[in-house]
Amino acid sequence: MITKKVVLIGDFATGKTSLIRRYVDNQFSDEYLTTIGVKISKKTLQISDEIELQLMVWDIEGHTDVKATNPAYVIGAHGVILVGDITREKSIENIPLHLELVKRLLKKVPIVIALNKSDLLPNEIEIEIEKKVLDLDASLPEVLKVFDTSAKSSKNVEAIFITLSQALLL
Amino acid sequence: MHIQEIFNAIYEKHYYEYIVLDKTLNCIEFSDKVIDYVDIQEASQMYRNIIKLIPELVGLEDELQEIAQGSREGIEIPLVHRKKAFVTISIQAGRKSRYDEIESIIVLFENVSQFVQMQQKSIQDRNDKELLLLELDKKNSSLEKYNKHMMHLVEAEIEKNSRLTNEIIVTQREVIATMGAIGETRSKETGDHVLRVGEYAKTLALMAGLSEQEAEELKMASPMHDIGKVGIEDAILNKPGKLTATEFEVMKEHALLGYEMLSGSKQKLLQTAATIAYEHHEKWDGTGYPRGLKGEDIHIYGRITAIVDVFDALGHDRVYKKAWPLESILDFIKKESGTHFDPSLVKLFLDNIHVFISIQEHYKSDKKYHKV
Ligand SMILES: Nc1nc2c(ncn2[C@@H]2O[C@H](COP(=O)(O)OP(=O)(O)OP(=O)(O)O)[C@@H](O)[C@H]2O)c(=O)[nH]1
Ligand SMILES: [Fe+2]
Ligand SMILES: [Mg+2]
């Protein structure tokens, strides 16, 4: 079994805990309980008949101030999910800053971006989401792929983890 | 830290637990309650690699090696969530003394639940508050957007309204001109006469010190002054040559008729037009008709219209006469000053005669006015 460390990094309340909870336990709650420190969840994926991948998913406390992210949580990570709240411009603007920290602490690792809470946007703004996703895609070449996700509706939650996992095994 | 010091600390302060590793990172010794923090299954087997026991160390293999080789001080992973408790995990090299070789690796678990409990509420409060502020901000900006949107709507509405109002004014003006022209047409004359009268009247009104608004109203209302002619029988209205005294009496009725036609309306413009129709044949000296009003008892709109109507009528061919030369017209107006016409208005009119002549020229050349 291959074991890999994956860290979710992003501003507070962007939905890191919720994304993990949806992915690992298939649950969601509207309540906001801020994460203190770090909590690890394990998720095992059967990649093929022979290959089993175990993800150690690090849910770390969110900080708007990027400097406040403890490097001890990030070092050793094999993959990173940067999380922004699609309804909170500032949290998206901060993604490149979180990315800087990641690049400083980690050698080349696969990175994906989750623009979360897409369920909160009415349908008409679908195009706007598309644009935000494309903008980030274009501006951050280190990033594998940008997803609009929803921990609430499950949209693209599997997809972010699977995309990252595939890259982890390359 | 001396290895013995650590152990002492652990025994004194019960909230430390530890695991001792050999330099290949396999477990060789556990404190009693470390089982609270690691997987029992894994810990029950001797010489397990520490990474199997502590998932937080996955990915830190290189760093652990560096600690074992003395090239790295240590690692501290603070505030790790563990079965409802919070522990800070630290890994460091163990030596007998500062100057001795590294003997082992020590993994320490410090229970910091109490500290977290104290912090939790204030961190949650801070985040909740900040989130609330962000939410408010968002609401504000969407409100602003909404406001802007509303403003656009309102502006568009205003524009539409003013366009409509404009249209109404234009339509009204056309209706009036048409109405005036009906009277004229029945008497086989051009609709241009009524429009020129309006134009002259406004110009003279402005010269007499009336406001732009009043002058404009006069311009729009004065073309209707002869509307009463629609009630006069053809034989009289279109009779070539001079009217008999009786016929003339019938003809005079057009003033009252016009007044009666127009004064039924509540529209200010039509009421003004009614006054003009009523009073445009009154004379300054009181010898006019239908009421024989005198001097300033005649509405200024009536007095103005009287002058410009005569000026324009004499200047153009009519059924019963050829157009007069300008000089004769001016002589006539001058002669009638103080008897037929208001002398101060006549003075203004004659002093500025070039203005009226240029209006006349303008109408001659400007085809677009001929279509009414
Ligand atoms: N509508 C909606 N709400 C979400 C979604 N994801 C998370 N939330 C809500 O957002 C709030 C914050 O979610 P968390 O998962 O606790 O956010 P976090 O990033 O872990 O926050 P910190 O631990 O403080 O850094 C909670 O109230 C969630 O219910 C989502 O996809 N859609
Ligand atoms: Fe008349
Ligand atoms: Mg969280």
Side-chain angles (χ1 to χ4, degrees), chain A residues 7-14 16 60-70 74 80-85 88 90-106 109 111-114 140 142-143:
Chain A
V7 187
L8 280 82
I9 304 172
D11 283 10
F12 76 97
T14 50
K16 300 177 293 298
I60 67 178
E61 56 189 20
H63 288 283
T64 303
D65 178 5
V66 179
K67 289 194 287 294
T69 303
N70 194 327
V74 181
V80 174
I81 300 174
L82 297 173
V83 184
D85 177 341
R88 237 167 77 203
K90 192 86 184 71
S91 75
I92 297 176
E93 283 167 15
N94 275 344
I95 287 179
L97 304 178
H98 292 296
L99 180 66
E100 281 307 307
L101 175 92
V102 168
K103 287 199 293 188
R104 209 166 58 238
L105 294 173
L106 301 174
V109 299
I111 300 164
V112 294
I113 292 180
L140 307 171
E142 307 85 345
V143 174

Side-chain angles (χ1 to χ4, degrees), chain A residues 9-154:
Chain A
I9 304 172
D11 283 10
F12 76 97
T14 50
K16 300 177 293 298
T17 303
S18 301
L19 285 169
I20 296 167
R21 194 141 173 249
R22 171 59 80 194
Y23 183 56
V24 176
D25 305 321
N26 198 21
Q27 285 176 354
F28 177 81
S29 159
D30 274 312
E31 200 187 343
Y32 174 41
L33 258 177
T34 185
T35 304
I36 294 185
V38 54
K39 187 180 170 192
I40 292 197
S41 304
K42 294 180 195 172
K43 173 87 178 184
T44 308
L45 290 100
Q46 197 68 45
I47 299 296
S48 65
D49 282 349
E50 310 94 69
I51 307 172
E52 209 180 37
L53 174 67
Q54 186 175 48
L55 296 180
M56 298 293 171
V57 185
W58 286 56
D59 179 15
I60 67 178
E61 56 189 20
H63 288 283
T64 303
D65 178 5
V66 179
K67 289 194 287 294
T69 303
N70 194 327
Y73 296 148
V74 181
I75 53 170
H78 301 105
V80 174
I81 300 174
L82 297 173
V83 184
D85 177 341
I86 205 158
T87 69
R88 237 167 77 203
E89 203 68 46
K90 192 86 184 71
S91 75
I92 297 176
E93 283 167 15
N94 275 344
I95 287 179
L97 304 178
H98 292 296
L99 180 66
E100 281 307 307
L101 175 92
V102 168
K103 287 199 293 188
R104 209 166 58 238
L105 294 173
L106 301 174
K107 296 198 194 84
K108 251 184 110 47
V109 299
I111 300 164
V112 294
I113 292 180
L115 298 183
N116 193 37
K117 305 195 191 181
S118 65
D119 61 281
L120 287 180
L121 295 179
N123 284 339
E124 313 89 75
I125 311 191
E126 205 72 39
I127 297 156
E128 218 166 290
I129 298 181
E130 208 84 335
K131 202 181 152 296
K132 266 181 189 156
V133 168
L134 286 176
D135 284 354
L136 263 183
D137 245 342
S139 70
L140 307 171
E142 307 85 345
V143 174
L144 218 57
K145 198 163 155 72
V146 182
F147 293 89
D148 58 305
T149 65
S150 167
K152 190 164 187 167
S153 78
S154 303

Side-chain angles (χ1 to χ4, degrees), chain B residues 117-143:
Chain B
Q117 256 167 33
M118 289 187 321
Q119 296 284 304
Q120 189 139 34
K121 198 178 150 11
S122 73
I123 293 174
Q124 182 78 52
D125 282 354
R126 185 201 63 199
N127 284 3
D128 283 346
K129 203 187 290 171
E130 212 166 312
L131 210 56
L132 197 71
L133 285 176
L134 284 168
E135 208 54 44
L136 278 175
D137 242 25
K138 222 186 293 172
K139 290 255 157 61
N140 265 344
S141 70
S142 62
L143 205 69

